[in-house]
Structures are given as C-alpha cells and as structure tokens.
Amino acid sequence: MATTQTLPQVDQSHKTVLEPIATPSRLLFGPGPSNADPKVLQALARSPIGHLDPLYLELMGEVQELLRYTWQTDNRFTLPMSGTGSAAMEATLANTVEPGDTVLVAVNGYFGNRLADMAARYRANVQLIEKPWGEAFSLAELEAALSEHRPAILALVHAETSTGVCQPMDGVGDLCHKHDCLLLLDTVTSLGAVPVFLDQWKVDLSYSCSQKGLSCPPGLGPFTMGPRAEEKLVARSSKVPNWYLDVSLLNQYWGSDRVYHHTAPVNMNFGMREALRLLADEGLENAWDRHRCNAEVLWAGLESLGLELHVPEALRLPTLTTVCIPNGVDGNAFRLHLLNEHGIEIGGGLGSLAGKIWRIGLMGYNSTPKNVELLLNLFESELPRFRENVAVAA
Ligand SMILES: *Cc1c(COP(=O)(O)O)cnc(C)c1O
C-alpha cells in the first residue's frame, strides 16, 4: 500500500523475542500476595464481558453485597476500587480530607507511616502518635491523643503487616464518637481472615486488598464508607482532589445510575466475586477459626524449634507471624534458600525491623494444616545449616 511507504522505518532496537510466559509454582507465605484459590484463577480466565452489560451490573451488586458481609457492615458505599489496597487506602483519605483537617495517625509500623504520607499529600494537618514496632495502642493512649489533637479523623491499622500486631478495637469507636471524629481502619491483612465487625466497631472508613486474606491475585482494593464519612464528603467545600478515586463519581456507576466512570477491570471482579463466594460458602466464622487454629500450630511449632516470636501472643495476628531471626543467622540467605531451593516465599523485615525478623503469612487459601506442617518441617531441616553459618551449596 502506498501509505506504508511513507512511514519511517520501525526501530527494532527494543524488540525482544520471548517464549510464552512460564511462571514457577511458588508457595507464597510472605506478607502478600498469597496464593490465589485455583477456582478464582479459573474465574479470572473467563472471557471478559462489557462493563455495562446487564450481567456485569448484576455481578457488581453481588460483589458489593458479599463485601458488606465480609466486613459486617451495612454501608451503601462499599465497592472494590480498581487498583491495589493502596488505591483504596488513598480513596479513604482523598474523599474525606479537606486542607487543614487534622488527621491523627497511630503509627506502630510501616503502614501507619504510609497513611500519614498520603494524608499530608491531601494537605491534612497530620499528627502522629507512635509506638515501637510490635506493640499496640491502649485506649488510654488513643484517648489522650484525641484530647490533645482534636482530629477530624483518627487513622488506625487493624492488622500491621510489617509487625504482625493486631490492634484491639474494643472501645475505640466509642472514643471517636465522644471526640467527634471519624474512625478510619486499615483492614488489608485482616479482612476475611481475622474477625472484623466494622459497624459494631463504629468504623467510618475502611479499605482492604484482594491478594491477602481473600485468596485473589492483587488488583482490587475493597473500600467502604459509612454514613458519617458520607456526610463529610457531601459537606466538602471543594471537589475531591483525585478524579479516579472520587466516590461521588464512582457511586454513579456502582449505585443505581450505572453511568460510565472508568472501564472496570471486569476480570478482576470475576475473580473477586468467586473469592467472596468461596468465603461465604465456608462461612466467615469458619474462615476466622481456620486462620487462628493454623496460626496457633505454627506458633507452637516455631517456639518448640527454639525460635522467638516478635509479638506477645495476645496481640498476634493469625495471618502474619513475625519470627525473630536468631543471632548469627543470615536471615536473607535463609529466605533466598527457601525461595530458590524449595519454591517457598517468606518475607523479611521492613523499616526498623529489617534484618531482625522474618514475616510468615498464612492467608486465605494458604491457611491450611498442610502448609503449616511444610513450613515447620523446612524450618526444622534447613535452618540449622544457617545457624552454624555453613555456606549452602547452590
Ligand atoms: C499490603 C498492605 C497495604 C497496601 O496494599 P497494596 O495492595 O500493596 O497496595 C496497606 N496496608 C497494609 C496493612 C498492608 O498489609
């Protein structure tokens, strides 16, 4: 054809000849992603349908209703954000923070700092209460900080994936009502795996992700907003300063109007529907019990191997166990050995815990007695070689 002759020559320098993708089979016992349920992977592989197809619109309603069940909330603004957990995290702040609002962030790990960073980008007056990584906040500490700072929002991390601490929630919601502030709770590593009673706890804003307790690959960030947070959104004097995450726009698609906002990642939502369907089929209480029972066997087994756990039992997260790396052991070398020789991923430490702990995740589909046994057997047989600092043949 005549036109092709007028095109410049195609630059071939970045063209790479590849084989079709082949991924190794790994067991993901790190801080996430965890392995997806094979049934979820089948759902993801279905042919996409239109994001305004009546069948898809019905599926959206099913996902929303199952998210409400999973969070134990009646919030009408409950939907999966397109993006990972951090997108939903950012949405909670983007929709409610107005410049100058005081946001009090309780920081006892990596994700508290991320919340503080995000809130500051929406021009909040960010105040922090801090605790060492591995501890939780008491009601008295939260109350003192609420009295001192009089925030519009208190942000807390329920399940700190960087430390393995589960923040006790009894009484926190009442404190926030008493001090007339919204309660924002990160439930990324608890949703579907650790008891969460969003409405009973009087939580106004929460978010999670698809790839930890929900047995789905990364890609969606469940988001929910209660009536008090909705009021703050409606009363804004300026537009939500983030178009993509603006819940008032998103609700025109997820609510009854069904107006196009952005093309929904339909296959991710197929996967989410299947993941939530499987969870409801098991029953939330049973899933919580399963995570707790398997974690308790893991804890006892690690301790019987002489390993020390970083968090006292009363505060331990069933989904993520932090293990102190014994003196003289190269934690990174052990982790790489498990990955390269056994196809098993565990996590290292973040921030102030880097080089000091391993992080073992047993989340969603991966929380099984068989996986606990596998992990304990590996720690028993492989760790001694690292304790003695013997070089491991590759
Ligand atoms: C993983 C995680 C996030 C961030 O989620 P992404 O899916 O990585 O964006 C936020 N908070 C906590 C507690 C997490 O564990």
Side-chain angles (χ1 to χ4, degrees):
M1 274 199 262
T3 50
T4 54
Q5 283 160 4
T6 66
L7 291 174
Q9 267 216 324
V10 171
D11 176 356
Q12 307 289 347
S13 59
H14 298 292
K15 182 170 174 179
T16 314
V17 178
L18 295 176
E19 295 297 319
I21 190 164
T23 53
S25 79
R26 300 239 199 260
L27 285 169
L28 304 178
F29 301 139
S34 50
N35 291 86
D37 190 303
K39 295 196 182 90
V40 171
L41 296 177
Q42 279 170 18
L44 285 165
R46 298 194 69 80
S47 193
I49 59 177
H51 66 287
L52 293 170
D53 186 313
L55 286 177
Y56 187 72
L57 299 180
E58 197 177 311
L59 178 143
M60 290 164 63
E62 293 165 349
V63 167
Q64 289 181 288
E65 198 54 6
L66 283 173
L67 280 177
R68 290 184 189 107
Y69 164 67
T70 308
W71 254 316
Q72 294 289 288
T73 183
D74 295 328
N75 291 346
R76 67 181 184 127
F77 279 11
T78 301
L79 57 94
M81 289 284 169
S82 306
T84 66
S86 302
M89 183 184 210
E90 184 146 354
T92 56
L93 295 162
N95 283 279
T96 53
V97 172
E98 288 199 88
D101 280 351
T102 298
V103 175
L104 177 64
V105 187
V107 179
N108 57 348
Y110 179 88
F111 291 100
N113 282 325
R114 181 175 295 184
L115 278 163
D117 182 352
M118 284 182 180
R121 288 163 193 253
Y122 290 97
R123 300 203 277 139
N125 163 32
V126 177
Q127 299 293 334
L128 306 182
I129 11 168
E130 297 187 80
K131 293 277 296 207
W133 291 31
E135 296 182 18
F137 293 90
S138 70
L139 272 189
E141 287 162 342
L142 294 173
E143 168 122 63
L146 287 170
S147 304
E148 183 188 344
H149 299 292
R150 313 225 140 271
I153 300 172
L154 168 67
L156 275 179
V157 177
H158 182 223
E160 231 326 328
T161 324
S162 63
T163 66
V165 166
C166 189
Q167 171 64 43
M169 291 306 295
D170 266 356
V172 179
D174 286 331
L175 270 187
C176 289
H177 276 256
K178 184 174 149 200
H179 290 267
D180 194 26
C181 82
L182 297 179
L183 175 56
L184 188 165
L185 190 66
D186 177 317
T187 55
V188 172
T189 301
S190 50
L191 189 67
V194 178
V196 173
F197 291 95
L198 214 75
D199 287 359
Q200 271 186 43
W201 292 350
K202 303 189 165 95
V203 174
D204 300 290
L205 290 153
S206 191
Y207 57 88
S208 192
C209 75
S210 48
Q211 75 273 17
K212 295 180 187 175
L214 299 182
S215 315
C216 200
L220 289 177
F223 165 95
T224 189
M225 172 185 248
R228 294 200 319 148
E230 254 189 67
E231 273 173 36
K232 187 154 178 12
L233 169 63
V234 170
R236 290 186 70 96
S237 58
S238 57
K239 276 188 178 180
V240 172
N242 184 318
W243 182 87
Y244 199 75
L245 300 175
D246 183 339
V247 176
S248 47
L249 298 179
L250 284 167
N251 201 47
Q252 292 173 20
Y253 176 50
W254 285 91
S256 47
D257 300 349
R258 304 302 195 179
V259 176
Y260 166 71
H261 178 259
H262 65 271
T263 306
V266 291
N267 287 56
M268 276 312 302
N269 279 288
F270 293 169
M272 180 59 88
R273 179 192 184 277
E274 182 63 6
L276 294 172
R277 185 187 75 80
L278 290 166
L279 180 58
D281 210 33
E282 178 179 14
L284 208 44
E285 316 87 314
N286 297 329
W288 295 340
D289 277 354
R290 173 168 56 84
H291 282 83
R292 170 140 288 272
C293 290
N294 291 323
E296 283 175 355
V297 177
L298 178 72
W299 300 338
L302 291 169
E303 285 176 332
S304 77
L305 293 174
L307 291 161
E308 196 189 325
L309 302 184
H310 179 63
V311 175
E313 180 152 12
L315 295 178
R316 257 178 232 159
L317 263 180
T319 39
L320 190 115
T321 299
T322 42
V323 186
C324 303
I325 299 173
N327 276 337
V329 171
D330 179 343
N332 242 358
F334 179 62
R335 236 166 26 81
L336 287 174
H337 172 75
L338 293 185
L339 187 67
N340 295 329
E341 305 304 316
H342 301 275
I344 287 191
E345 178 178 280
I346 64 168
L350 287 178
S352 68
L353 293 174
K356 297 191 181 142
I357 58 161
W358 291 302
R359 294 186 297 156
I360 304 178
L362 283 175
M363 306 182 192
Y365 180 71
N366 277 355
S367 174
T368 64
K370 188 167 153 258
N371 283 342
V372 172
E373 197 186 318
L374 179 74
L375 272 163
L376 289 175
N377 286 341
L378 274 175
F379 269 79
E380 185 169 16
S381 65
E382 304 305 299
L383 190 54
R385 303 156 69 182
F386 289 80
R387 278 182 188 278
E388 291 148 24
N389 275 331
V390 176
V392 178

